[in-house]
Amino acid sequence: MSAGRPSEGAGCINWWGFSPARDLISADPVRHEGAVNVLLAGSGDPRHLLKTVSGLRDGDVLNVWLFENHMDVVARQMLLLYIALTPQEMMGLNEKTETFLEVFGNSLIRSQTDETMKRAASQLLLHVSDIPEADVHPCLNTSLLKFKERDELARIFKSWMPPHSSSTPPVSISRAWDYRVRQHLGTRYDSKKGCFDWDLTMKLHEKGCSVINKHQYFRWRESGLAFELREGVYQISNPSLLSSRVFSQRGDRTALRGYWGDIVSSPYLAFGIETEDKSLLKTQNGHHMKTAQDISFANVQELFQSLSGRRECQAAPQSSAEEENPSANVEQNSVPVKDLMRLKGVSVNFLPLDSLQKLPEKPKYADFYDIIHFSASCAHHLGPNIRQIAAPDAVLIVELAKYILDLNNKQEAGFVERVSMMCQEAGFQPCSEAKSDDLHAVFEPRKDK
């Protein structure tokens, strides 16, 4: 139905994933016990991490290594984790959930959320600029990154909090979004609502996402506003969704700053289309009573409650001054990274951009990872080097292209075949005990390594 440049719909940078949050441990054919080492390649957001932490048992230990293709995505992962780990006495559960979803899926945010982002960016900037080795936060460990990558993170965080006196006008994400929509639809831009309706009803709804509401999906497709959780003015560009893309024109390479992520599939896929609370999926006269926005809110709030339940005992950040002086509340979200919640038995480590090639060269990572998860956008990195870092009883999970809407059925099936071939060439075989679905392909190492 869409004309123009269909391959551009998914974008070239993953701000969110193309599948729902997955508990990587409990979803295994045989549940790993004790300490589990997990490699997440290109997940784009912390949905799998949060979901996996929520399913941990008391004695479990979860060590996660995050690999992304862009430092902009690393910075955003850190921001979302910062919000998730903010102690509840500093940010209430409802406010935290709303702020997280707003930053996660909205091109435009409220002024209050913008201030929260700037305060978070200032603390993350300090964190990556000067990390005492003895005080690395276990869930925001950037010590493995190269100096130039830490410098790039610092640059990104600074760009999220420009000085009021800056002479450079900020990029308008609304214009950047409209530019992408025009490029994607081409001659069909003037009848864009028909294209939006086709993608929703004939693709997303047909693929089982009928809970995605037409009004909300259209609003997101047109303006990039996925979550309107409070009455307020959404008018400030969300800087965490802006990045630079290099174009070649007449032999010259030019970096253009704009929005280069998904404009078709939607951020509702991550948290808003599956739920264990069946009451959220009730229908009346064939229509869902709740929307993907409602389900996203309920799911994220439940995940945050699980985080608080796994919090290590530590001194709470001082808040008495805020209680005595309401005006001090403007600083309530400015929490140093060292004061964020620490989760019992959980560590998160950020990997350098070349790590998928370099990890197999380090003896420490030989036969190391128990669970390896590749996003659809990272599948091209699958190769024999991945087999070298997989434990003998490891599980390799690859996200499929079901929700990359610009692919037709033949292309989607071709992607499945290509993934299977690449994994088998890399030394893996289909996992016989895994539950098969159309969202992920699951493999295990061949014993003839």
Side-chain angles (χ1 to χ4, degrees):
M1 187 72 177
S2 297
R5 302 171 62 188
S7 62
E8 284 286 293
C12 63
I13 186 167
N14 272 25
W15 296 127
W16 45 75
F18 293 99
S19 61
R22 179 184 178 108
D23 182 341
L24 298 173
I25 295 180
S26 298
D28 276 357
V30 178
R31 194 182 195 281
H32 288 271
E33 299 293 338
V36 180
N37 297 322
V38 177
L39 173 63
L40 282 174
S43 58
D45 61 59
R47 69 194 188 284
H48 299 317
L49 169 61
L50 296 175
K51 184 73 171 177
T52 303
V53 170
S54 74
L56 293 178
R57 300 169 181 170
D58 286 343
D60 288 341
V61 174
L62 176 68
N63 303 309
V64 178
W65 281 257
L66 290 179
F67 165 82
E68 297 292 351
N69 284 313
H70 301 273
M71 291 312 297
D72 295 279
V73 181
V74 174
R76 203 169 117 90
Q77 286 261 33
M78 293 181 67
L79 170 64
L80 292 171
L81 283 175
Y82 178 97
I83 296 171
L85 294 170
T86 299
Q88 201 159 311
E89 60 267 20
M90 304 301 288
M91 186 188 293
L93 189 58
N94 280 354
E95 182 187 355
K96 184 193 291 193
T97 305
E98 291 167 352
T99 301
F100 180 93
L101 286 174
E102 201 171 312
V103 171
F104 174 69
N106 282 9
S107 61
L108 297 169
I109 55 179
R110 296 171 296 135
S111 58
Q112 178 182 344
T113 304
D114 181 56
E115 289 302 315
T116 299
M117 273 195 64
K118 287 177 179 175
R119 289 193 287 268
S122 69
Q123 296 299 332
L124 291 169
L125 172 60
L126 292 173
H127 177 64
V128 300
S129 299
D130 181 23
I131 303 179
E133 291 300 319
D135 196 31
V136 173
H137 192 287
C139 291
L140 283 167
N141 179 17
T142 57
S143 64
L144 299 177
L145 297 178
K146 299 175 182 177
F147 285 114
K148 66 177 182 180
E149 292 170 334
R150 297 246 299 267
D151 289 343
E152 177 64 7
L153 282 176
R155 184 198 64 77
I156 294 168
F157 293 138
K158 285 179 183 176
S159 74
W160 294 354
M161 45 179 188
H164 294 295
S165 59
S166 174
S167 58
T168 305
V171 175
S172 166
I173 201 168
S174 296
R175 290 182 182 177
W177 187 278
D178 186 64
Y179 169 81
R180 286 287 313 288
V181 175
R182 287 177 182 274
Q183 288 291 102
H184 177 63
L185 296 181
T187 58
R188 294 194 59 81
Y189 180 82
D190 290 336
S191 55
K192 58 187 176 183
K193 295 234 172 120
C195 298
F196 299 166
D197 188 59
W198 178 271
D199 286 340
L200 178 64
T201 58
M202 301 305 293
K203 294 182 180 180
L204 282 170
H205 285 180
E206 286 295 314
K207 291 174 182 286
C209 302
S210 58
V211 74
I212 296 180
N213 174 273
K214 180 176 179 178
H215 168 73
Q216 291 174 355
Y217 180 75
F218 276 35
R219 180 188 62 199
W220 175 76
R221 284 292 300 267
E222 192 149 26
S223 65
L225 194 64
F227 301 104
E228 200 165 0
L229 296 154
R230 283 199 181 193
E231 289 187 8
V233 181
Y234 293 80
Q235 62 182 11
I236 301 174
S237 292
N238 181 352
S240 76
L241 289 176
L242 292 168
S243 63
S244 295
R245 182 177 180 184
V246 176
F247 291 86
S248 294
Q249 190 172 26
R250 298 176 182 174
D252 296 328
R253 292 169 63 82
T254 304
L256 183 61
R257 192 158 180 78
Y259 177 82
W260 306 113
D262 166 42
I263 57 168
V264 174
S265 296
S266 87
Y268 299 123
L269 298 174
F271 301 105
I273 62 172
E274 291 184 355
T275 175
E276 296 172 7
D277 183 354
K278 300 308 176 188
S279 68
L280 294 172
L281 298 175
K282 285 183 178 179
T283 59
Q284 190 172 45
N285 299 323
H287 296 283
H288 280 274
M289 299 175 67
K290 299 292 184 180
T291 67
Q293 174 175 290
D294 299 323
I295 293 173
S296 296
F297 184 90
N299 281 338
V300 171
Q301 187 171 71
E302 184 178 1
L303 293 175
F304 287 167
Q305 286 176 321
S306 296
L307 290 188
S308 294
R310 200 167 180 86
R311 179 180 180 178
E312 287 184 349
C313 293
Q314 63 191 92
Q318 294 297 316
S319 59
S320 57
E322 293 162 9
E323 294 170 1
E324 296 170 7
N325 178 15
S327 64
N329 284 337
V330 295
E331 295 298 327
Q332 67 176 346
N333 296 327
S334 188
V335 183
V337 168
K338 66 181 179 63
D339 290 335
L340 296 175
M341 290 191 297
R342 297 182 180 225
L343 310 178
K344 286 181 285 188
V346 179
S347 71
V348 182
N349 311 279
F350 292 89
L351 289 170
L353 297 182
D354 62 355
S355 56
L356 291 186
Q357 291 74 41
K358 296 293 180 65
L359 287 179
E361 300 173 2
K362 300 178 180 180
K364 172 186 175 180
Y365 296 104
D367 301 336
F368 184 74
Y369 290 107
D370 303 295
I371 301 170
I372 301 174
H373 184 285
F374 269 72
S375 69
S377 64
C378 257
H380 61 283
H381 285 296
L382 288 165
N385 54 333
I386 303 302
R387 176 64 185 90
Q388 295 173 36
I389 60 176
D393 60 346
V395 174
L396 170 63
I397 305 167
V398 184
E399 179 186 65
L400 300 178
K402 177 178 180 179
Y403 293 126
I404 299 180
L405 301 189
D406 288 331
L407 300 184
N408 59 37
N409 291 339
K410 184 177 180 181
Q411 291 168 323
E412 187 183 330
F415 183 86
V416 175
E417 293 176 9
R418 177 64 177 157
V419 164
S420 180
M421 182 180 69
M422 292 174 70
C423 289
Q424 293 189 56
E425 289 177 350
F428 294 86
Q429 63 188 13
C431 188
S432 57
E433 298 182 23
K435 295 178 181 178
S436 61
D437 60 34
D438 52 3
L439 287 173
H440 299 90
V442 184
F443 300 86
E444 60 188 0
R446 285 204 309 266
K447 303 306 178 186
D448 58 348
K449 177 182 174 183

